[in-house]
């Protein structure tokens, strides 16, 4: 195995999703107020908690770890495609722009917790 292969293998082994490889993470603050187009999604898990990982057309060199709202959307998409995440990704690629998300951040009514609203456009 070459040094490059060793590095690539190590990176892949320590990544939670292939969508994270060679990409920088986007934060919710960076997406606040923006409208983005999902072009790929994966489901990652950390310490028993699942979450979606997205790549957006507007940020192809970045990925975004979604919260509960995006997780529910991905679960519905996967269920509609008989549990096949690869079909969801095929549909995102074939229908780029069919669905877009607008992110808005704020606080819960009591002001204690952060809240992210995702508008589906």
């Amino acid at each position: 195995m070459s040094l490059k292969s060793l590095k690539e293998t190590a990176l892949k082994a320590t990544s939670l999703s292939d969508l994270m490889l060679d990409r920088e993470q986007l934060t919710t603050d960076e997406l606040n107020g923006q409208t983005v187009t999902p072009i790929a999604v994966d489901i990652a898990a950390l310490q028993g908690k699942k979450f979606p990982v997205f790549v957006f057309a507007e940020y192809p060199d970045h990925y975004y770890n979604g919260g509960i709202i995006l997780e529910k959307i991905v679960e519905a998409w996967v269920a509609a495609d008989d549990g096949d995440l690869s079909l969801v990704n095929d549909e995102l690629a074939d229908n780029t722009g069919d669905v877009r998300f607008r992110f808005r951040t704020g606080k819960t009514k009591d002001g204690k917790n952060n809240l992210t609203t995702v508008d589906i456009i």
Side-chain angles (χ1 to χ4, degrees):
M1 187 179 301
S2 70
L3 182 57
K4 184 176 180 182
S5 295
L6 287 172
K7 181 179 179 182
E8 288 174 358
T9 302
L11 286 170
K12 190 168 183 166
T14 58
S15 177
L16 299 175
S17 166
D18 285 348
L19 295 182
M20 295 175 172
L21 294 174
D22 295 324
R23 289 187 171 97
E24 293 182 41
Q25 184 175 357
L26 283 168
T27 66
T28 302
D29 287 340
E30 290 172 310
L31 292 176
N32 187 27
Q34 293 195 42
T35 300
V36 291
T37 309
I39 57 172
V41 66
D42 194 9
I43 299 171
L46 182 63
Q47 298 175 343
K49 183 179 177 185
K50 294 186 316 179
F51 58 93
V53 178
F54 280 92
V55 174
F56 300 117
E58 295 79 5
Y59 296 96
D61 297 329
H62 294 77
Y63 68 91
Y64 177 72
N65 294 333
I68 189 72
I69 294 170
L70 291 178
E71 181 181 346
K72 287 182 177 189
I73 292 169
V74 172
E75 286 175 355
W77 287 346
V78 171
D81 279 333
D82 297 321
D84 192 339
L85 183 62
S86 66
L87 287 178
V88 173
N89 279 301
D90 289 346
E91 289 177 47
L92 288 173
D94 291 343
N95 299 299
T96 299
D98 183 48
V99 63
R100 301 181 77 202
F101 302 137
R102 181 178 299 128
F103 291 82
R104 293 181 290 126
T105 59
K107 294 280 187 182
T108 55
K109 287 183 182 182
D110 62 10
K112 293 182 181 180
N113 295 310
N114 293 329
L115 176 69
T116 301
T117 302
V118 180
D119 298 320
I120 301 167
I121 300 170

